[in-house]
Amino acid sequence: MMENLVNLSRYPIHDLDSSAGERLLAKCRNEMMDVGICMLSEFLTPGAIDRMKAEANSQLGNAFYCSNTHNAYLREDDPSLPTSHPGRRLLRTEVGSIANDFLPADGALVRLYKWNCLTDFIGQVLGYEHFYRSADPLGALSVNVFQPGGSHAWHFDESKYTVTVMLQPAESGGEFEVVANVRTQDDDNYDRVASILDGDYDAVVRLPFAPGTLFIFAGRHSLHRVTDVQGSRPRLVPVLAYAEHPEYVNSKQVRRLFWGRDH
């Protein structure tokens, strides 16, 4: 029963034709158009948070930990560019990820991800007539694991939009920081990215994540990072991947970077 997982009285995503559902859709669409970010606090029920945390913590031993360097665009290095170019600047990320194929198929996390009402809701928020869960065997649904000392350097996502759920924040640190709509489909905005990498944080927004928050944002066009995690508790954030086409998968480069394998 999905009402045991999702706060449907506050977020009636199962009944979007109702007046409450229409108001929710309008609010989320406006936020995405204005700033490319939509946060739904207390989206999960307390019981769902507990179950999903238990599922994620039980698979920590299967997390692949990436301690690697990458550029902000997650692209292969291009030696033809000058070393000062933002597409060549190497940034260090230390993060673990529990791949999709390690998550229990009958667990609460997988049930949430495979719930058609959630897929349809997110698709409508983003303005798609047709919207699909990712076909990636590793990254369709995964859990980011930030152990103490871990962080995720500035980057853009390969997927146009990113959907996450906060399960377990760090004791301190592990803040999500974002600069919305830095680039477009036709302009990588190298100068703006370079200025942020150089420490121009005037436009950086730090978003507080309480457990149970659903977060939708334009990850391909918004530069973002997770700051250093401190304390003894890992930061656990499931990533729910969607696409405009049913066959979408991540590139082999991204799979190898975050899961240590490409299948």
Side-chain angles (χ1 to χ4, degrees):
M1 302 291 288
M2 294 310 296
E3 58 263 31
N4 294 328
L5 300 181
V6 177
N7 186 351
L8 295 178
S9 60
R10 181 170 180 175
Y11 302 112
I13 67 173
H14 62 309
D15 190 14
L16 295 176
D17 292 331
S18 67
S19 58
E22 289 176 349
R23 288 194 299 271
L24 174 63
L25 265 181
K27 174 180 179 295
C28 293
R29 285 170 173 167
N30 288 336
E31 290 175 352
M32 290 305 300
M33 285 190 294
D34 290 344
V35 294
I37 297 170
C38 176
M39 294 182 67
L40 303 180
S41 60
E42 298 182 4
F43 182 80
L44 296 181
T45 66
I49 296 170
D50 289 342
R51 275 177 278 173
M52 293 177 187
K53 280 199 304 185
E55 290 171 11
N57 278 297
S58 72
Q59 296 299 317
L60 286 179
N62 288 319
F64 174 79
Y65 287 91
C66 158
S67 180
N68 209 333
T69 55
H70 56 82
N71 58 54
Y73 299 92
L74 300 183
R75 296 173 183 160
E76 295 282 0
D77 183 49
D78 183 355
S80 68
L81 298 173
T83 55
S84 60
H85 191 282
R88 295 205 68 192
R89 301 219 201 158
L90 294 181
L91 311 170
R92 179 160 292 278
T93 284
E94 297 187 19
V95 59
S97 182
I98 303 168
N100 180 64
D101 54 359
F102 284 123
L103 298 173
D106 59 349
L109 262 174
V110 171
R111 283 195 290 129
L112 176 70
Y113 179 61
K114 291 188 174 181
W115 189 32
N116 289 336
C117 288
L118 179 61
T119 303
D120 293 343
F121 166 68
I122 294 171
Q124 289 194 52
V125 168
L126 300 178
Y128 290 107
E129 183 177 355
H130 303 290
F131 199 62
Y132 305 91
R133 291 181 286 272
S134 170
D136 195 293
L138 305 182
L141 172 65
S142 59
V143 181
N144 282 346
V145 180
F146 291 87
Q147 296 287 0
S151 63
H152 201 316
W154 289 113
H155 68 286
F156 298 100
D157 293 332
E158 281 197 330
S159 56
K160 188 173 183 179
Y161 297 102
T162 301
V163 181
T164 63
V165 179
M166 171 56 76
L167 287 186
Q168 181 170 283
E171 291 179 357
S172 62
E175 304 287 352
F176 183 87
E177 296 183 338
V178 59
V179 184
N181 299 321
V182 171
R183 68 173 181 173
T184 67
Q185 181 176 344
D186 303 315
D187 182 6
D188 278 326
N189 204 351
Y190 293 128
D191 290 343
R192 183 72 183 102
V193 172
S195 71
I196 296 169
L197 298 184
D198 287 338
D200 179 4
Y201 295 162
D202 287 347
V204 171
V205 176
R206 176 172 287 184
L207 299 176
F209 274 119
T213 300
L214 179 76
F215 181 57
I216 309 170
F217 83 112
R220 183 186 294 175
H221 295 153
S222 298
L223 193 65
H224 54 286
R225 70 174 178 177
V226 175
T227 63
D228 290 350
V229 167
Q230 301 168 16
S232 59
R233 182 176 65 210
R235 180 184 190 269
L236 302 177
V237 180
V239 180
L240 291 66
Y242 299 91
E244 302 168 49
H245 307 287
E247 68 278 7
Y248 176 82
V249 297
N250 290 300
S251 67
K252 288 187 176 181
Q253 179 188 359
V254 165
R255 288 195 214 171
R256 290 169 183 155
L257 178 65
F258 293 115
W259 298 291
R261 52 195 169 105
D262 55 32
H263 62 277

